[in-house]
Amino acid sequence: MNYVKYRKLKNSIFHGVIFCITLIGIVILAILLIDIIKRGVPFLTRTFFTNFPSRFPNKAGILPGIVGSINIILLTIAFAVPVGLGTAIYLEEYAKNNRMTKFIKINISNLSGTPSIVYGLLGLAVFVRTLGLGKSILSGALTMSLVVLPIVIVSSQEAIKAVPQYLRHGSYALGATKWQTIRKIVIPSALPGIFTGVILSVSRALGESAPLLMVGAATYVSKLPDNVFSVFTALPLQIYYWMGLPKEDFKDLAAAGIIVLLAILLTTNAITIVLRNKYQRSIE
C-alpha cells in the first residue's frame, strides 16, 4: 500500500514539474510578445507596408521584404511539395524493403535535423555558382526547398504509411491498378498528414535567414523584383538589418516587422489547417 502511495506521489511531483516548466515557457513567450507588440504596433502604418527601406525610421517600409518572402514561400512550396510527395510515394509504395531503402529513409530523417547554414553553402555552390542562377529569388527558393524537403518527405511517408491496408486491398479487389489505387485511395486518405508536413515546412522556411544570406540575399533593396532572377530580400533579413542599426527607432521597426512576419506565418498556417480539416472531413 505504501508503494502505491509512493508511486502516486512521484507521479504528482512529475506532473507538477512538467507543468511548471511549461508555464515558464508560456510566461517568457508572453513577455516577449507583449514587448514586441508594445514597441511595434505604433509603427504599423500604411506607409510602413507601402514604403521601401530608408535611413530615416519614419520613412522606412517593409514592402520588399513582404514581396520577397511571399515569392520565396510560393516557389519553395512549388518545388518541395511535388518532389517530396513523389519521393514518399516511391519509398512507401514502390521501393523494395531492403537495406538500401532503409539506408535512404534513415538519411532522409537525419537530413531534417541538418543545420540550415549547410544547405545555404550547398545552394551557394550549386545554384548560385555552378548553375549560374546568381543571387536571385530562384536560387533562394531552390535552397529553401532543400531545407524543407526532408520535412515534407518524412511527414508524407508517415501519412501514407498510416493509410489502412484494407483500403488498398479493397481497391485491388475491384480491379484497380497500383497507380489508380495510389491516386484515388492512398493520396486522398493521406492528405491531412501531408498538409501537416506542409505547415511545418512553411513555418521553417518563413523564419530562416541563414540560407538566404549564404546565397546572396540583400538586406537592403530599393525596388521590387521583376522576375525570379531579380535580387531580393526577405522579412527575416529586413528585421536583422534593422536590429543592427544604432538608432533605437529601428529596433521598434524590427518589432513591427516581427509582427508582420508572425501575421503572415499564422495566416499561411491557418489556410493550410483549413484545407487539412476539409479533406479530413471528406474522408470521414
Side-chain angles (χ1 to χ4, degrees), residues 126-134 139:
V126 176
F127 303 127
V128 177
R129 295 179 178 174
T130 304
L131 298 181
L133 299 178
S139 296

Side-chain angles (χ1 to χ4, degrees), residues 112-165:
S112 61
T114 302
S116 58
I117 190 68
V118 176
Y119 292 105
L121 292 171
L122 180 62
L124 176 64
V126 176
F127 303 127
V128 177
R129 295 179 178 174
T130 304
L131 298 181
L133 299 178
K135 302 173 182 180
S136 63
I137 293 176
L138 186 58
S139 296
L142 289 171
T143 303
M144 293 307 300
S145 298
L146 296 178
V147 175
V148 304
L149 190 58
I151 301 174
V152 177
I153 294 174
V154 171
S155 61
S156 298
Q157 280 183 259
E158 295 301 322
I160 292 171
K161 195 184 299 182
V163 177
Q165 285 295 332

Side-chain angles (χ1 to χ4, degrees), residues 7 16 94 125 171 214:
R7 290 188 61 183
Y94 290 101
S171 178
M214 292 307 302

Side-chain angles (χ1 to χ4, degrees), residues 70-197:
I70 292 175
N71 287 333
I72 290 292
I73 288 301
L74 292 178
L75 286 174
T76 299
I77 292 174
F79 293 142
V81 173
V83 175
L85 181 57
T87 303
I89 291 173
Y90 175 77
L91 291 175
E92 293 299 326
E93 299 293 331
Y94 290 101
K96 296 180 180 179
N97 189 20
N98 52 28
R99 290 183 179 179
M100 180 58 69
T101 302
K102 292 179 180 178
F103 177 77
I104 293 173
K105 289 181 178 180
I106 291 172
N107 279 278
I108 290 175
S109 299
N110 291 336
L111 285 173
S112 61
T114 302
S116 58
I117 190 68
V118 176
Y119 292 105
L121 292 171
L122 180 62
L124 176 64
V126 176
F127 303 127
V128 177
R129 295 179 178 174
T130 304
L131 298 181
L133 299 178
K135 302 173 182 180
S136 63
I137 293 176
L138 186 58
S139 296
L142 289 171
T143 303
M144 293 307 300
S145 298
L146 296 178
V147 175
V148 304
L149 190 58
I151 301 174
V152 177
I153 294 174
V154 171
S155 61
S156 298
Q157 280 183 259
E158 295 301 322
I160 292 171
K161 195 184 299 182
V163 177
Q165 285 295 332
Y166 66 81
L167 293 179
R168 296 178 175 86
H169 296 161
S171 178
Y172 294 145
L174 293 174
T177 63
K178 189 174 186 66
W179 171 240
Q180 288 174 332
T181 300
I182 293 172
R183 184 165 57 90
K184 297 289 187 179
I185 303 298
V186 176
I187 294 178
S189 301
L191 274 179
I194 294 171
F195 276 126
T196 300

